[in-house]
Amino acid sequence: MNDQERDIIGKPLPRIDVWGKVTGDTCFADDLSLPRMAHAKLLRSDRPHALIKRIDTSHAQALPGVYAVITGHDLPKVKFGILPVSQDEETLCLEKVRMVGDPIAAVAASDEQTAQRAVELIKVEYEPLLAIMSLAEALAETDVRIHEYGDGPNIHKVVALEFGAVAAAFDQADLVREDLFFFQGNTHLALEQHAAIAQWSAAGKLTLWSATQTPHYVQRALAKVLELPPAHIRVIAMPVGGGFGGKTDPFSHEIVVCRLSQLTGRPVKLTLTREEVFYCHRGRHPALLWVKSGVTKSGEILGMHFRSYLDGGAYGSYGVASLFYTGALQTVAYQVPNYKFEGVRVFTNKAPCGPKRGHGTPQPRFALECHLDKIAEQLALDPAALRRQIVVAEYTKTANHLTVTTCGLRAGIDRVTAASNWHAKHRQLPFGKGVGFACSTYLTGAGLPIYWNAIPHSGAVVKVDRGGGVTVFCGSTDIGQGSNSMLAYLVAEQLGLTPKDISVVTGDTDLTPVDLGSYSSRVTLMAGNAVLQATERIRELLLAAVAKELAVPQTELLCRGGRIFCRNSPDQGRSFAEAAVLAETSHGTLACAGSYTPPRRSGNFKGAGVGPAPCYSFSACVVELTADPETGKITVEQVWLAHDGGNPLNPLAVTGQVEGSVYMALGEALLEEQIFQQSGVHQTPSLLDYLSPTSLEIPEIHTILVETGDPEGPFGAKEVGQGPLLPVIPAIANALYDALGVRIDEVPITPEKVLKALERKAQGRTPRVGPERLPDFTFPEPLEVPSAFGQPADPAVKRKTADHATPTPLQLSET
């Protein structure tokens, strides 16, 4: 009996119900034969690249309070990963470690301190291997391999695609310009670390409570690695304390607690330390980016050639998708009739990169928007005016076969330039002060699932009880973006109730239909449409029952104010609870399902699966800043951001998402960088050392909502969680050039780099800091695909909404 167990004898404790929730009842800890919570810790590699020759766990096993010690030999020899093409991770490394922080062994003990002491007693004998720590080293090294798969010795993936005739477009251009940029990697910096609790039951069922954005995919990984039927695994997504893409992979600690619970018969909890989170990473890829464009004198783009070189770290993660995303969306914001994309992602012995807010698109957006500013200067054009004239046309296809529906970018440019007084400030402010402009676009949900199939991407069930209570069941996870509230809004709008009348159950693989997770800004559109369909079906049952009771046509009824009543005779009606009783009497239990599958709009070529979306958001941004030529310090004073997110379901929540994106963008632009020493050790693995903005650094933010009412979204809504981040970073770089006349073609834009560029300027040299050359790498011949630029989009499907007495921004015509 340990001190913790002794302290709770005879004391009332909360009782946990079958859903893992605390009830109002209490129980007493009088019987210590009942299993107590075990706490787990991981032993992680301190070598960047090495063979594992021997692991000695005997001293750890002998430590009092230790329940179990496991290595990779205590698990099925099955690898996992989020993408089917990159199943390259081991729960606990068996023969080789590929980075500092790789998990090797795990301990379950009576408390965290004992588990940590046991971990320190485990001895590992290594045989060092060459550590590959940079993009250039990965491309050059052929003898030592990090993985035994991929498109080259240390190359994960190579892409080469051409849409149209880019070389011919360059021949016709009045100006052909090329530029090179670098975007340093950075991490999510979620406030709370990863954590998980597992419970293996006597019935052979497994329950995992985890801070995850993707419970469905975690369930899938657990079933594969532990060789269990998915139906015997329940994953419950808990509040994540910040996600931003960092909790979308399945992680080794989630599998470890499940295996330890199987072995000990106890619930097992594991919370990563902040340092461990830095090594788990999955954040922004360091990216070298090259762009070449041919334009007319008026700024019209005739052709574009884009290259991305990504440092992917030690594992695949979402890396193949990340690589494609660095080339997919350049054609969505602007008219680009001919387009060529080449990209390569390499493995290095560093923490693996993956999806961070804006997945794969902030890096190329930084490059493209700075590149366009340089073109505008060469052509003596206003940067905002140049972009305005080349905005993509609505309801058309892009060169790379993406379908654009609504586009409010031109209106956003007009509104943001007017609000910021752009034309009076650009090139007009005193030395040291400047304004910069940039635009962007982002997808509203990925058009294809991670595992390609024809199954709906999101499902929902809406239940009405005979007391009038309404509950929504959906597999989506709320990671702080307010998606649970959004689901309640949609149901309330359809049924004439208020959001507080709606209960929402989400993120539980036993209780809710499948939703693929909170990533790619997909929840509002996909889960929202599934919930709308379920609500429409149950609304039909309610209306039919009341119409029969009142002997009136169903088309004459409205749902509003907690009642269902006649449109022209409001006193003639029933309360919602009365309508529920009538409907249940007529139809039986009131529960209806809904689902959503995106329209299939991808092109017919290899690589077409990344980029398609039901619709796209658009943003335009102006940044005003002060740059001190003596210190190089940049102070961002004001940000104006116009965002086309369709019709905002909750304008205040939408504004909050815009402001959060601006905050994160400021950190990436000016401060944040994930750097590793040659030894593989993270240089700043703590909140103290890893620089990020505080509230004191946040400028005044002016949010402008551009409402377009996209027919694909529920009540016309599009995404807002990620897109607004993208234009802020290049707008800062462009504003710095306006302020001091220096170009920093890499991020973060630090004072040291500003001073170096000013020194070069004073010496009469090019006032620029950034990468100077491309690595020595030859891309294969591209897959040639006919350009789809300008082709009309497939017809959009308008979706039903609730009736309104008067038109509102939410109302769309019914099919």
Side-chain angles (χ1 to χ4, degrees):
M1 182 185 301
N2 61 32
D3 292 340
Q4 185 179 16
E5 291 170 335
R6 187 178 296 109
D7 288 343
I8 65 174
I9 292 295
K11 294 182 179 179
L13 298 172
R15 188 181 300 276
I16 308 298
D17 67 16
V18 295
W19 293 284
K21 297 180 180 178
V22 176
T23 71
D25 302 326
T26 58
C27 59
F28 290 85
D30 293 325
D31 183 4
L32 286 181
S33 65
L34 294 175
R36 303 297 174 201
M37 176 84 77
H39 296 266
K41 285 290 182 181
L42 289 165
L43 173 68
R44 295 183 180 273
S45 168
D46 59 1
R47 311 296 171 90
H49 200 194
L51 298 176
I52 300 172
K53 306 305 290 183
R54 189 173 68 91
I55 305 174
D56 181 1
T57 64
S58 58
H59 295 290
Q61 290 172 324
L63 185 69
V66 170
Y67 301 137
V69 181
I70 61 172
T71 67
H73 296 286
D74 300 300
L75 288 145
K77 308 304 186 285
V78 178
K79 293 185 178 183
F80 69 97
I82 186 64
L83 297 185
V85 296
S86 302
Q87 302 283 298
D88 59 4
E89 297 187 55
E90 296 171 293
T91 306
L92 298 171
C93 296
L94 274 168
E95 299 174 349
K96 181 178 180 179
V97 295
R98 295 171 172 86
M99 54 172 275
V100 172
D102 252 345
I104 298 173
V107 174
S110 57
D111 53 63
E112 282 191 283
Q113 293 79 10
T114 302
Q116 184 59 43
R117 286 198 299 271
V119 162
E120 293 167 0
L121 293 173
I122 300 172
K123 303 301 179 185
V124 183
E125 182 182 327
Y126 297 99
E127 180 183 316
L129 298 172
L130 175 69
I132 300 170
M133 298 302 295
S134 72
L135 172 70
E137 291 173 15
L139 291 173
E141 178 59 45
T142 58
D143 294 332
V144 176
R145 295 187 65 141
I146 296 173
H147 288 283
E148 297 304 316
Y149 81 100
D151 289 347
N154 289 294
I155 295 172
H156 184 197
K157 185 66 177 177
V158 178
V159 180
L161 296 166
E162 183 169 9
F163 306 90
V166 174
F170 288 164
D171 290 340
Q172 298 170 14
D174 296 316
L175 170 66
V176 177
R177 181 185 176 93
E178 61 183 84
D179 289 294
L180 187 60
F181 302 88
F182 178 70
F183 198 109
Q184 182 59 272
N186 51 69
T187 199
H188 312 85
L189 213 67
L191 185 62
E192 294 183 21
Q193 305 103 287
H194 302 60
I197 299 174
Q199 172 70 73
W200 176 255
S201 75
K205 300 290 184 70
L206 178 66
T207 302
L208 176 73
W209 294 263
S210 184
T212 178
Q213 297 176 233
T214 54
H216 169 68
Y217 288 124
V218 171
Q219 181 194 44
R220 190 182 186 111
L222 292 175
K224 179 186 179 186
V225 175
L226 298 176
E227 298 179 339
L228 293 171
H232 292 182
I233 300 171
R234 180 183 185 185
V235 178
I236 302 172
M238 305 302 291
V240 297
F244 315 115
K247 295 168 184 173
T248 56
D249 284 70
F251 286 96
S252 61
H253 69 273
E254 294 168 317
I255 305 170
V256 161
V257 292
C258 293
R259 184 61 179 146
L260 287 171
S261 184
Q262 285 180 311
L263 294 173
T264 64
R266 300 170 180 268
V268 179
K269 177 182 180 180
L270 199 161
T271 301
L272 301 188
T273 65
R274 177 61 61 180
E275 185 174 6
E276 286 180 297
V277 173
F278 272 95
Y279 284 104
C280 285
H281 190 39
R282 318 300 162 118
R284 195 82 73 214
H285 284 73
L288 184 66
L289 307 142
W290 174 85
V291 55
K292 179 179 180 180
S293 296
V295 300
T296 66
K297 292 178 181 178
S298 63
E300 177 188 356
I301 299 173
L302 300 181
M304 182 182 296
H305 185 181
F306 203 96
R307 286 178 178 163
S308 300
Y309 303 78
L310 301 189
D311 180 343
Y315 293 100
S317 183
Y318 284 83
V320 171
S322 306
L323 179 62
F324 276 101
Y325 274 130
T326 63
L329 301 190
Q330 280 82 316
T331 61
V332 175
Y334 307 120
Q335 299 177 45
V336 182
N338 301 282
Y339 180 62
K340 183 177 182 180
F341 171 61
E342 296 170 315
V344 58
R345 183 184 192 262
V346 302
F347 290 120
T348 55
N349 294 118
K350 298 184 287 190
C353 302
K356 185 186 174 186
R357 198 174 197 168
H359 187 194
T361 62
Q363 304 100 313
R365 184 56 52 181
F366 169 71
L368 179 58
E369 294 298 319
C370 292
H371 174 67
L372 289 177
D373 249 43
K374 295 179 181 184
I375 287 175
E377 184 178 37
Q378 273 192 265
L379 296 175
L381 298 173
D382 178 85
L386 180 147
R387 291 170 171 86
R388 189 184 188 281
Q389 72 168 346
I390 60 173
V391 167
V392 68
E394 290 188 322
Y395 298 103
T396 59
K397 293 186 178 182
T398 67
N400 53 335
H401 297 251
L402 304 180
T403 296
V404 177
T405 54
T406 56
C407 174
L409 183 54
R410 187 169 281 113
I413 292 172
D414 292 343
R415 293 181 64 182
V416 80
T417 53
S420 63
N421 203 16
W422 162 264
H423 296 292
K425 293 177 179 178
H426 184 241
R427 300 288 188 263
Q428 306 299 317
L429 296 177
F431 183 73
K433 292 184 176 293
V435 290
F437 185 85
C439 297
S440 70
T441 182
Y442 196 67
L443 64 159
T444 304
L448 290 168
I450 290 174
Y451 290 82
W452 285 20
N453 54 57
I455 304 172
H457 292 210
S458 188
V461 171
V462 175
K463 176 184 73 70
V464 177
D465 64 45
R466 61 188 61 176
V470 181
T471 305
V472 183
F473 298 88
C474 183
S476 62
T477 55
D478 194 322
I479 60 172
Q481 80 277 41
S483 62
N484 282 3
S485 298
M486 178 274 300
L487 297 180
Y489 301 155
L490 295 175
V491 177
E493 181 76 12
Q494 288 283 78
L495 298 182
L497 304 173
T498 65
K500 70 179 181 180
D501 296 323
I502 314 300
S503 298
V504 180
V505 178
T506 57
D508 186 323
T509 59
D510 263 15
L511 300 183
T512 63
V514 168
D515 177 85
L516 298 183
S518 289
Y519 62 91
S520 296
S521 283
R522 59 177 299 285
V523 177
T524 291
L525 187 138
M526 297 194 183
N529 276 327
V531 166
L532 273 186
Q533 186 182 75
T535 308
E536 288 166 358
R537 289 170 174 172
I538 212 158
R539 181 169 170 263
E540 287 297 308
L541 299 180
L542 292 163
L543 292 175
V546 174
K548 181 180 178 181
E549 174 75 5
L550 300 179
V552 298
Q554 188 173 319
T555 55
E556 292 298 312
L557 297 178
L558 289 176
C559 299
R560 186 169 304 151
R563 297 178 67 244
I564 298 178
F565 56 89
C566 292
R567 188 186 305 267
N568 298 318
S569 182
D571 292 337
Q572 187 180 5
R574 295 291 184 269
S575 70
F576 187 82
E578 290 170 335
V581 171
L582 291 171
E584 186 170 347
T585 301
S586 298
H587 306 289
T589 300
L590 295 180
C592 291
S595 60
Y596 175 78
T597 303
R600 287 294 184 114
R601 292 174 174 161
S602 59
N604 187 24
F605 59 91
K606 187 175 182 180
V610 177
C615 52
Y616 300 87
S617 71
F618 298 88
S619 300
C621 177
V622 172
V623 166
E624 184 171 345
L625 57 74
T626 298
D628 188 335
E630 299 299 322
T631 65
K633 180 182 178 182
I634 296 171
T635 302
V636 177
E637 296 173 346
Q638 295 192 81
V639 175
W640 292 265
L641 200 145
H643 182 71
D644 164 24
N647 286 337
L649 301 182
N650 181 332
L652 184 61
V654 170
T655 299
Q657 286 293 299
V658 171
E659 292 177 354
S661 292
V662 170
Y663 162 80
M664 188 167 279
L666 289 171
E668 296 196 39
L670 301 175
L671 296 169
E672 298 183 41
E673 47 189 341
Q674 177 112 330
I675 297 178
F676 295 84
Q677 301 171 16
Q678 189 62 31
S679 63
V681 174
H682 196 296
Q683 194 156 298
T684 55
S686 73
L687 294 180
L688 179 63
D689 298 314
Y690 182 90
L691 298 180
S692 181
T694 69
S695 59
L696 299 178
E697 284 81 48
I698 302 305
E700 188 175 356
I701 302 171
H702 310 272
T703 300
I704 301 166
L705 303 184
V706 180
E707 300 183 14
T708 51
D710 197 281
E712 291 294 338
F715 295 106
K718 297 196 286 189
E719 83 86 34
V720 68
Q722 305 187 64
L725 178 149
L726 307 182
V728 179
I729 301 170
I732 290 173
N734 291 334
L736 175 65
Y737 181 72
D738 190 41
L740 295 179
V742 297
R743 281 284 177 189
I744 311 300
D745 287 341
E746 63 181 49
V747 295
I749 304 170
T750 62
E752 293 79 9
K753 294 173 185 175
V754 174
L755 292 177
K756 183 178 179 180
L758 286 169
E759 181 181 357
R760 292 173 63 91
K761 182 180 180 181
Q763 295 170 348
R765 301 162 64 193
T766 302
R768 174 188 178 272
V769 170
E772 299 293 340
R773 63 184 61 87
L774 289 171
D776 185 14
F777 180 75
T778 302
F779 286 96
E781 287 297 311
L783 174 66
E784 296 182 357
V785 182
S787 172
F789 174 75
Q791 294 179 13
D794 299 326
V797 178
K798 291 197 173 185
R799 304 187 184 280
K800 294 175 69 176
T801 66
D803 292 317
H804 294 274
T806 56
T808 75
L810 293 180
Q811 190 169 10
L812 298 174
S813 61
E814 295 190 352
T815 54

